[in-house]
Amino acid sequence: MNENKTTKTAPQSVMFLPPQCDEEEQIDLKELAATLGRYKNKIALFAFVVTAMVALWLFATPNSYASKTVLAPQQEQKGTSLGGLSALAGMAGISLGGGQMDAFTSMKTIL
């Protein structure tokens, strides 16, 4: 008899089962409250130090506000009753015949 034969076994399917919840793995709210109570002074000190550092940084940096406005002079409209809508339509590439501003000129004036 030949005892050196190797037998191949089919791979077993792996099943992932959810872990069983034991009493040790559950969250105990009383224990959590006791832990927070035990470290409440350290938590309050940390919050105070961070707030003080932020307040010092805010008061130490100078206030800087910037605003920029570009004003374009209003051009005379000859024979139009649309107000400024013909120039606005001209920016969109539509010619209503009243405004003399094309899109390039209006953008050049604005910028």
Side-chain angles (χ1 to χ4, degrees):
M1 299 189 126
N2 197 354
E3 293 182 23
N4 292 335
K5 288 185 181 178
T6 58
T7 57
K8 291 186 179 180
T9 58
Q12 296 177 356
S13 61
V14 178
M15 294 178 52
F16 294 102
L17 298 174
Q20 300 296 325
C21 292
D22 296 337
E23 289 184 25
E24 297 172 8
E25 294 179 12
Q26 293 180 354
I27 296 174
D28 185 19
L29 294 179
K30 290 179 184 177
E31 183 182 339
L32 180 63
T35 303
L36 288 175
R38 188 171 44 239
Y39 294 109
K40 68 180 176 185
N41 292 335
K42 289 183 180 181
I43 294 170
L45 179 66
F46 176 76
F48 178 76
V49 168
V50 169
T51 303
M53 288 173 55
V54 169
L56 287 174
W57 179 75
L58 285 174
F59 291 125
T61 56
N63 294 338
S64 61
Y65 304 103
S67 177
K68 185 177 179 181
T69 303
V70 178
L71 300 174
Q74 185 175 1
Q75 296 181 355
E76 276 189 37
Q77 302 288 327
K78 298 179 183 175
T80 61
S81 62
L82 295 176
L85 295 179
S86 60
L88 184 63
M91 287 175 55
I94 302 170
S95 176
L96 296 179
Q100 299 297 324
M101 252 179 135
D102 62 345
F104 179 74
T105 307
S106 63
M107 293 305 286
K108 186 177 178 183
T109 304
I110 292 172
L111 297 176

